[in-house]
Every structure is written in C-alpha cells, then in structure tokens.
Amino acid sequence: MAYLFKIITLSCCSIFLILIVAFIQVNFKKSKASTGKLPGVDNIFIKRVYPAAASIHSFLKNKLHLSLNSNKVEDIKKIYTGLDSNSAEKLYSCNLFSIIIVIVICTILLVMVIIVAPVKESILESGYFIERDIPEGNNKETKLGVSIDGEEREVTVGIPARKYNDNELEIKFKEAMEYTRKNYLGENKSSEKVSKSLNLVSYIPDNAVNISWEYDTGNIVNTDGTLERSQVTEPVVVQITAIFSYYDTERTMPLEFTVLPVKKSNKEIIWNKWNEMFSKLSDLSDSKKFLQLPAEADGKKVSYKVPEKNYILPVILSGTIIIALIPVITGGRLNENIKQREQELRIDYPGFVEKFVLLISAGLNCKGAWYRMAEEYKRKLQDGGKKRYLYEEMLLTERQMENGMNEAKAYELFGRRTGLLKYMKFSTLLVQNLKKGPADLLRILEYEADDVLKERRENAKILGEQAGTKLLMPMVIMMAEVFAIIIYAAFQNM
C-alpha cells in the first residue's frame, strides 16, 4: 500500500512539474520584453518565471476581472515613482506569482527527492531476528509494525544489549527492610489482594541506605509501581525484590503478593501472549548476537515490518502554508517601504526648502530652480549616489513639464504624490506664485525655511531617541552579563 502511494505521488508530481516547466518555458519564449530592467525583478529565478507570472496576471485581470485594491496600487506607485496604475498592479502581481511558482516547484522537487531517496536498511534479519548491541554498548528501542491475525499494531520493542552473568545481590539492613515491608503495598490492604499501584519507595527516612528494585513479575509491575493487570487472566502470585545498598554492602528482600485480574477481550489476550513470548525469547537469547521475535502468539501467525516515516504530507503542507503567507509577507514589506518613504521625505524636506530658497534668492524663477535641483540630483546618481524618493518625484515633475504639462498642474500633482501635508503646502505656494506673481514668494519661502529649521531639530531629536531605543536591549544584555560575572565571582569566593 505504501509502495503504491509512493508511485501515485511520484507520478502526480512528475506531471505537475512537467506542466509547470512547460508553461514557464512557453511564456518565456513568447516574451519579447526584457524583464531584467523591470524594478523589483532582480533574482535570476524570478526573471525566468516572470513571463509566466505575467500570463497568470493577465488571465486573472482580463478573464476573471480580479484586481488589486486601489489603495495598495497607490502605495506601489509611491514606491516605484513614475509607474501608472496598470503597470504598478502588474509589477506587484507578477512578483507575487513568480515567488509562488518558485516555491511550488521547490516543494514538488523536495517531495520527489523524498520518494526516490534510498530507504534505510531494515534491522530485521530473516524476518524474526534483531541484532543486539555489544556488551559495552547501550540498550536500544525500535518501533515495529506487528501483524497478528490480520490486525496490525505499532509496538515499541526494547532490544537490550548482550550482558555478562550478573553477580548475586548481597547484604541488606534490617531497618530499611522493616520500613519497606510496611509501606510497599501503598493503598492495598493486604498482600493477598493487590489491585492498586504499589509504593516502591526510593528513599529510607533518616537512613543512608539506598534502595532499588528488581522485578520478576512477567511485566505485571512497572518500575513506578503501577500494575499491568490487563495481562492477568487469573489471580497470580508475583515477586519483586528490594535491593538495599550501602557502598559495597548489599542486602535483598523478596516480597510476594497476589495481583487480581481484570476482564480482557480475546484481542487483548493475544497481545498479552505476544508480550510473554517476546520476554521469554529475549531472556533465552540475552547472550546471543540476535534477538528473536515471536513467530506466533496464541496460535496466530505473527509478521513484522519496520514502519516507514512519511515526510511527503508534511512537506506539501509546509509548502502550502508558505504560499498562503506570501501575500501577507509581501503586503507587510510594502507597508514597511511606505513608512520608510514617508520618513525619508520628512528628513529631506528641510534641505529641499533651504536649497530652493537659495536658488530663488540667486535670481532663478521656480521652474529654473526646480530644473537646477533635478539636474544636480541626476549628476549625483551618475556618480553612484543613492536614489531618494523626493528627487525621484522632482524628476517626474520635470519630465511632465518638458512633455507639455502646465507648470501649476505639475506642481500640484507633485504635492499629491508625496502624500504629506508640508509638500502639499509648498506646492500650493508655487502655484499661487504663478497666479499672483513672485512679489511675496521669497519672503514666504524664507518663513517656511525658518519653520523647517525647527523641524530639522525635532527630526534629529526623534532619530536620536529611536537610536537610543535600539541600543536599550544590547545595554540590558551587557548589564546582565556583568551581574552574572559578579555573582559568579562572589560564589567562587564563598
């Protein structure tokens, strides 16, 4: 059954992978546009699957009429200055679908690798033997699938290491024996009728004698004193041995009691028989290289198999969860970019106003000052400078005016695109200057420059507080380390 499941899963994965790769390849060949110059498309795998993602976007938009939220489209346009609404929506959707396609391919490949990976060699020899560890080794456990009369169960089998002959347990102390004899029955009233857990004491009050327990009960008494009465079919006398030790001196005290049975089903009786046979064979072969497993239980044939761990479903589930989280993560990153953009615009505003006032004072008109600042920014970019959202918006406004847009309209759109009140106010001043004349423009701009000087100080103060907050956790960790060193040194000197 497991083999058939692997074959079916491998076939389905192969078909899906071939279809996805073919879909990617067909769309890649059809695409004539270079995706390498698109903003936000940098990864080589994303570039390869980008045309396929564009095809999916086109199908969803044109056939199913599904579109992004208008607010999200506006946020994308703020991040990628100069894009129209359709281009911004396509860029976001294609990046999202490209990542999803790559993750789907990786998930399918991982499932196929798990299926075709070589299975670990079985520990079963000839169907009924398990190799023991050497005497100097450790006891081991393994899970086996046991089938008896058509019923299968997963059973944990203990595989004890081969052992040497044990030395007989030696001397015990009278006080410890008396205390143990009075308390080992726990809540049971008599050793003739034991049905509740035993109190296998591990500590003798006011005594340095150590106590441990040895069991010869056919797995009826567990090490914690609980009883496995499900395998008892009739009242049975069992014996446990208390071992008292003090350095090299030991004494033993055997304790007998009668465990009462509980009613069991035929299936439970069969499994109890299997446990008995396993214990018997384990004891008989304790010095042999292999541990023999029971071939039958209560006349029923027993077969064994080593359960295979199935990683296929967890991998598929993990891939599905990751794909479901991608839109959330992408939206979170977009919101974070919007916040960074707004913070950058606030930081750049004081310098922008001061430079504009300086150019106006030098005799340039508004348009000339705007072009001068834009050209200066272009030279910085050519010299390897970093892009700034404010000056990218200025470049867009410059291109709009060069393409014939009214100067006042271009300034007004500049203020709207920034989305901040201070820039809207500044663009309004420029528009009023064009309508009423430049008489009071320089004076108004100088007032604005005085205001932004105060704002620059406030921005510096806010950034300093943010930096101090980020340093708080490292300072706490360092202080904790210092306290730990001091406390350790103090205890060392005690």
Side-chain angles (χ1 to χ4, degrees):
M1 190 66 180
Y3 181 75
L4 180 61
F5 173 74
K6 285 186 175 182
I7 293 296
I8 295 174
T9 306
L10 183 60
S11 302
C12 293
C13 289
S14 302
I15 294 172
F16 287 146
L17 185 61
I18 292 173
L19 292 176
I20 293 173
V21 172
F23 179 69
I24 293 172
Q25 192 65 20
V26 168
N27 284 277
F28 185 77
K29 289 182 178 180
K30 286 182 178 179
S31 176
K32 297 181 180 180
S34 174
T35 59
K37 297 181 180 180
L38 289 174
V41 184
D42 301 321
N43 188 281
I44 185 172
F45 298 106
I46 303 299
K47 290 180 180 179
R48 188 74 180 184
V49 302
Y50 197 92
S55 178
I56 296 174
H57 165 76
S58 177
F59 174 78
L60 294 176
K61 186 174 179 63
N62 299 328
K63 302 296 183 181
L64 301 182
H65 305 289
L66 299 177
S67 300
L68 282 179
N69 183 279
S70 58
N71 293 332
K72 181 165 289 188
V73 173
E74 292 300 320
D75 289 341
I76 298 169
K77 290 168 64 177
K78 291 178 181 178
I79 299 299
Y80 300 104
T81 306
L83 290 181
D84 56 38
S85 297
N86 290 332
S87 299
E89 182 178 357
K90 181 178 180 181
L91 174 64
Y92 180 84
S93 299
C94 290
N95 283 336
L96 180 63
F97 293 141
S98 298
I99 296 173
I100 291 176
I101 292 173
V102 171
I103 291 178
V104 169
I105 293 175
C106 292
T107 302
I108 293 175
L109 290 175
L110 184 56
V111 170
M112 296 177 69
V113 169
I114 292 174
I115 293 174
V116 301
V119 180
K120 184 179 178 181
E121 186 178 354
S122 175
I123 63 173
L124 288 174
E125 295 286 345
S126 301
Y128 293 95
F129 295 89
I130 301 176
E131 186 176 4
R132 297 177 182 273
D133 203 351
I134 60 176
E136 292 79 12
N138 302 316
N139 295 336
K140 299 182 294 185
E141 283 188 352
T142 187
K143 288 186 177 181
L144 294 177
V146 184
S147 176
I148 304 177
D149 195 24
E151 182 183 1
E152 292 188 4
R153 289 191 185 181
E154 189 173 279
V155 178
T156 300
V157 176
I159 310 172
R162 288 194 298 115
K163 61 182 180 181
Y164 302 111
N165 293 328
D166 294 331
N167 296 325
E168 294 293 331
L169 297 177
E170 302 174 354
I171 308 172
K172 296 186 179 178
F173 298 131
K174 183 177 180 180
E175 179 186 345
M177 291 180 179
E178 189 65 26
Y179 179 84
T180 303
R181 187 178 290 108
K182 290 180 179 180
N183 292 279
Y184 85 98
L185 289 176
E187 297 180 3
N188 296 287
K189 302 298 182 183
S190 170
S191 62
E192 301 297 325
K193 296 181 179 180
V194 175
S195 59
K196 299 180 180 179
S197 298
L198 300 176
N199 179 24
L200 302 182
V201 294
S202 58
Y203 165 73
I204 308 299
D206 300 324
N207 200 315
V209 174
N210 296 320
I211 182 172
S212 59
W213 295 89
E214 186 179 86
Y215 309 91
D216 187 18
T217 64
N219 294 329
I220 295 176
V221 180
N222 294 320
T223 56
D224 59 356
T226 56
L227 303 178
E228 295 291 343
R229 297 171 61 212
S230 58
Q231 60 180 316
V232 179
T233 58
E234 57 185 12
V236 59
V237 177
V238 296
Q239 178 178 292
I240 59 176
T241 303
I243 305 174
F244 304 90
S245 62
Y246 184 74
Y247 292 98
D248 296 332
T249 305
E250 292 186 350
R251 290 183 181 177
T252 61
M253 181 179 66
L255 298 168
E256 288 189 352
F257 52 91
T258 303
V259 178
L260 301 179
V262 292
K263 293 182 178 180
K264 304 174 188 177
S265 64
N266 292 333
K267 295 293 184 182
E268 290 174 331
I269 292 174
I270 294 176
W271 285 101
N272 289 339
K273 292 290 185 181
W274 182 88
N275 286 323
E276 292 175 5
M277 290 293 296
F278 173 78
S279 299
K280 183 178 179 180
L281 291 174
S282 178
D283 292 338
L284 291 175
S285 62
D286 58 5
S287 61
K288 296 181 180 179
K289 185 176 181 181
F290 290 94
L291 169 66
Q292 183 179 359
L293 301 174
E296 62 177 23
D298 198 26
K300 306 293 184 180
K301 180 175 176 58
V302 183
S303 61
Y304 301 89
K305 65 179 180 179
V306 178
E308 297 182 6
K309 294 184 178 179
N310 189 352
Y311 296 102
I312 297 174
L313 293 180
V315 169
I316 295 176
L317 181 61
S318 300
T320 303
I321 293 174
I322 293 174
I323 291 173
L325 290 176
I326 288 175
V328 179
I329 297 173
T330 306
R333 291 181 59 185
L334 178 60
N335 293 334
E336 186 66 26
N337 290 335
I338 291 297
K339 291 180 181 179
Q340 292 178 357
R341 174 183 180 273
E342 291 180 355
Q343 183 177 13
E344 184 180 301
L345 288 173
R346 289 191 181 95
I347 293 174
D348 289 346
Y349 184 69
F352 164 72
V353 173
E354 290 174 354
K355 188 179 295 185
F356 200 88
V357 170
L358 181 63
L359 293 174
I360 294 295
S361 301
L364 293 176
N365 58 15
C366 293
K367 189 173 184 179
W370 195 280
Y371 278 27
R372 178 69 64 86
M373 293 174 66
E375 292 301 320
E376 183 179 344
Y377 174 66
K378 290 179 184 178
R379 287 195 297 271
K380 288 183 178 180
L381 287 180
Q382 293 174 356
D383 295 336
K386 184 180 178 181
K387 287 187 177 182
R388 307 292 291 183
Y389 287 108
L390 169 60
Y391 295 99
E392 289 292 323
E393 295 291 348
M394 291 187 69
L395 288 179
L396 177 59
T397 302
E398 180 188 28
R399 289 195 296 269
Q400 289 174 339
M401 289 188 288
E402 289 176 348
N403 291 334
M405 181 179 287
N406 180 269
E407 186 177 349
K409 182 66 175 179
Y411 292 148
E412 183 179 350
L413 292 177
F414 166 79
R416 291 181 183 177
R417 288 196 305 271
T418 58
L420 297 180
L421 183 60
K422 57 187 68 179
Y423 284 98
M424 295 180 185
K425 178 181 176 182
F426 184 84
S427 63
T428 301
L429 292 176
L430 298 183
V431 172
Q432 290 177 350
N433 165 68
L434 295 174
K435 293 179 179 180
K436 299 181 179 179
D440 295 331
L441 177 62
L442 182 59
R443 178 177 57 82
I444 296 174
L445 290 178
E446 288 176 348
Y447 286 143
E448 183 70 14
D450 292 337
D451 291 337
V452 298
L453 181 61
K454 298 177 183 178
E455 184 175 347
R456 173 177 287 178
R457 294 171 183 168
E458 290 296 324
N459 289 335
K461 183 178 179 181
I462 293 173
L463 292 175
E465 291 175 351
Q466 292 177 350
T469 303
K470 293 179 180 178
L471 291 174
L472 183 60
M473 182 56 67
M475 291 173 61
V476 171
I477 296 175
M478 292 176 63
M479 185 171 64
E481 292 176 351
V482 172
F483 279 129
I485 294 172
I486 294 173
I487 294 173
Y488 176 77
F491 277 103
Q492 287 291 100
N493 295 327
M494 290 180 63

